[in-house]
């Protein structure tokens, strides 16, 4: 270094000298201004074993909805360095192949636990067998997998989607009775979530189980809008075009409902408490509860995304050599204009 500087000095601002001087000084300047930060972070990355942390690989299925954001946050809030974890997070963007890749990478990194929210129920046997062979416990969260061998996962934390679908059906029965419309023909359209996901299967089948008891309920169409607001709007717009006489919209999450509401507004169709189309939604995230309060959504069937604390508790039990249940089902409510106001203040997501 000294020699180079000497040389630079000798050349005192000759062209070659300036170039060499720049070559010497520029990297130092860039480092001091943080432009090489990525390299610095890599050097600083710490070894979780040294810190005695439990390493968890979390494969989240996507970021398609407000509910999903709350769910991700709840896991990230529960598994922190302070609570004893080193969390590796992967977002699969609703693509099953991405989740399989993430799980394989967790296995090759030899994480202590895999936490996994499966986008759909089928197709997991091979990768779960790989995790089992590697001796890594798998904790399923939110949605379920459909596997013959239940020993492929340790436990599941989630909500009862089938019951949620039935709650929607039972609410509609009561509502129609109250309005004295129980014998009228009722035309229903259903916006479904990601096909083959637990939330879609459960909510579709649960609602249909109640609808079957009513010869006058006509499900005109059930179609997927993939749990997103954009697709909800597009699919509803098409449905409104095809069916001029919709009485009830069953939308399997709040994001699709918000999209569908926009489609109805644009088509000049009234909805909600004082409108033509009765709106049934699922999830109960804050913006939707505000719509319930305003009478724009008739009922919102809660699906509770605050599931992170369960993982912490389960892992701590497993670490202590204690047994855990095969499933944990999270409590849920139903919100209408009659009860929503008192829940609004506490709803953070
Ligand atoms: O209802 C929806 C999300 O699997 C329960 O997924 C979850 C569902 C939730 O995208 O908003």
């Amino acid at each position: 270094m000294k020699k180079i500087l000497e040389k630079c000095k000798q050349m005192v601002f000759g062209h070659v000298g300036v170039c060499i001087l720049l070559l010497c000084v520029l990297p130092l300047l860039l480092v001091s201004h943080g432009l090489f930060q990525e390299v610095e972070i890599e050097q600083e990355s710490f070894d979780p074993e040294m810190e005695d942390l439990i390493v968890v690989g979390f494969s989240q299925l996507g970021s398609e909805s407000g509910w999903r954001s709350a769910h991700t946050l709840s896991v990230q809030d529960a598994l922190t360095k302070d609570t004893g974890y080193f969390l590796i997070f992967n977002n699969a963007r609703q693509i099953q192949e991405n989740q399989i890749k993430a799980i394989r990478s967790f296995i090759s990194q030899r994480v202590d636990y895999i936490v996994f929210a499966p986008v759909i129920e089928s197709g997991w046997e091979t990768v779960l067998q790989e995790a089992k062979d590697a001796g890594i416990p798998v904790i399923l969260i939110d949605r379920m997998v459909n596997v013959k061998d239940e020993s492929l996962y340790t436990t599941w934390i989630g909500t009862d989607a089938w019951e949620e679908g039935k709650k929607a059906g039972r609410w509609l029965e009561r509502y129609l009775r109250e309005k004295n419309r129980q014998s009228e023909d009722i035309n229903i359209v259903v916006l479904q979530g990601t096909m083959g996901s637990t939330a879609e299967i459960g909510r579709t089948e649960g609602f249909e189980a109640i609808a079957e008891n009513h010869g006058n309920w006509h499900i005109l169409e059930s179609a997927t809008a993939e749990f997103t607001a954009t697709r909800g709007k597009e699919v509803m717009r098409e449905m409104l075009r095809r069916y001029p006489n919709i009485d009830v919209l069953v939308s399997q999450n709040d994001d699709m409902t918000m999209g569908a509401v926009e489609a109805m507004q644009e088509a000049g169709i009234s909805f909600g408490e004082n409108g033509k189309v009765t709106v049934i939604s699922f999830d109960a995230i804050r913006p939707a509860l505000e719509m319930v309060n305003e009478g724009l959504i008739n009922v919102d069937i809660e699906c509770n995304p605050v599931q992170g604390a369960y993982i912490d508790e389960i892992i701590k039990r497993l670490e202590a050599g204690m047994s855990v249940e095969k499933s944990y089902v999270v409590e849920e409510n139903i919100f209408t204009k009659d009860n929503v106001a008192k829940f609004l203040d506490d709803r953070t997501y």
Side-chain angles (χ1 to χ4, degrees):
M1 185 73 165
K2 233 180 177 183
K3 266 193 197 158
I4 298 171
L5 286 175
E6 273 301 314
K7 190 110 193 214
C8 292
K9 258 196 236 156
Q10 278 165 21
M11 293 183 182
V12 197
F13 302 124
H15 285 309
V16 183
V18 172
C19 286
I20 292 177
L21 193 64
L22 280 178
L23 280 175
C24 296
V25 174
L26 207 57
L28 296 174
L29 281 176
L30 290 175
V31 169
S32 70
H33 284 81
L35 292 173
F36 283 169
Q37 249 170 13
E38 256 178 63
V39 180
E40 272 179 70
I41 287 171
E42 254 174 46
Q43 281 165 352
E44 270 174 21
S45 70
F46 74 110
D47 178 357
E49 270 177 38
M50 298 278 288
E51 307 229 351
D52 217 15
L53 297 176
I54 301 166
V55 182
V56 176
F58 173 30
S59 166
Q60 178 57 289
L61 64 91
S63 47
E64 72 286 359
S65 64
W67 188 97
R68 185 66 48 199
S69 310
H71 186 251
T72 299
L73 209 70
S74 143
V75 176
Q76 287 170 336
D77 280 353
L79 308 187
T80 64
K81 238 174 124 179
D82 288 342
T83 53
Y85 298 94
F86 183 79
L87 184 65
I88 309 169
F89 176 77
N90 183 273
N91 176 351
R93 293 178 289 113
Q94 299 234 72
I95 299 169
Q96 179 171 35
E97 200 47 44
N98 290 347
Q99 289 204 282
I100 293 175
K101 274 191 205 140
I103 294 171
R104 292 211 164 113
S105 119
F106 297 152
I107 296 172
S108 70
Q109 291 175 72
R110 302 214 310 276
V111 300
D112 298 314
Y113 294 88
I114 291 172
V115 173
F116 159 45
V119 61
I120 56 171
E121 292 197 346
S122 58
W124 302 106
E125 260 100 354
T126 310
V127 74
L128 290 184
Q129 187 63 52
E130 290 167 23
K132 190 179 172 190
D133 293 344
I136 303 173
V138 172
I139 298 172
L140 298 175
I141 190 159
D142 170 22
R143 301 182 186 167
M144 249 300 192
V145 293
N146 187 354
V147 290
K148 280 200 195 85
D149 176 3
E150 286 203 341
S151 77
L152 290 179
Y153 62 90
T154 304
T155 184
W156 168 74
I157 305 149
T159 56
D160 189 342
W162 201 72
E163 186 55 33
E164 289 164 5
K166 280 177 60 178
K167 281 180 186 169
R170 288 196 212 104
W171 177 85
L172 187 58
E173 282 179 333
R174 281 198 303 277
Y175 182 76
L176 292 174
R177 253 198 321 269
E178 269 166 38
K179 300 273 167 197
N180 215 14
R181 293 177 64 192
Q182 68 271 33
S183 311
E184 277 180 27
D185 280 326
I186 302 294
N187 292 326
I188 303 170
V189 292
V190 182
L191 290 180
Q192 294 168 292
T194 307
M195 296 308 282
S197 68
T198 305
E200 177 276 315
I201 297 171
R203 290 168 190 173
T204 302
E205 291 182 1
F207 182 77
E208 283 177 358
I210 302 291
E212 272 165 19
N213 303 329
H214 301 276
N216 57 323
W217 292 17
H218 311 291
I219 300 185
L220 302 175
E221 191 176 340
S222 302
T224 185
E226 283 135 34
F227 281 133
T228 69
T230 318
R231 293 289 296 138
K233 183 169 180 179
E234 287 166 5
V235 177
M236 188 64 187
R237 192 190 286 139
E238 284 309 307
M239 284 178 167
L240 289 168
R241 230 171 253 158
R242 273 197 296 276
Y243 313 106
N245 227 347
I246 298 172
D247 297 298
V248 178
L249 163 67
V250 178
S251 164
Q252 290 179 353
N253 87 344
D254 287 337
D255 296 71
M256 295 189 294
T257 306
M258 287 172 210
V261 156
E262 269 184 45
M264 287 191 277
Q265 277 162 340
E266 283 172 20
I269 306 279
S270 65
F271 53 91
E273 284 278 304
N274 306 312
K276 159 142 182 50
V277 180
T278 300
V279 180
I280 300 178
S281 191
F282 293 82
D283 280 359
I285 56 172
R286 194 187 168 94
L289 290 190
E290 276 160 7
M291 290 167 76
V292 172
N293 205 24
E294 288 162 33
L296 300 172
I297 294 175
N298 296 71
V299 64
D300 209 334
I301 316 293
E302 183 179 34
C303 178
N304 191 339
V306 187
Q307 300 173 0
Y310 287 82
I311 304 176
D312 175 33
E313 214 177 294
I314 286 164
I315 292 182
K316 298 266 161 77
R317 282 184 73 87
L318 292 170
E319 289 289 297
M322 294 160 83
S323 65
V324 297
E325 305 287 327
K326 198 68 190 176
S327 64
Y328 294 83
V329 181
V330 178
E331 285 295 307
E332 319 192 277
N333 212 329
I334 290 185
F335 300 106
T336 61
K337 207 172 171 20
D338 295 337
N339 69 346
V340 74
K342 61 176 182 284
F343 292 95
L344 259 176
D345 280 352
D346 295 334
R347 181 86 6 164
T348 51
Y349 51 87

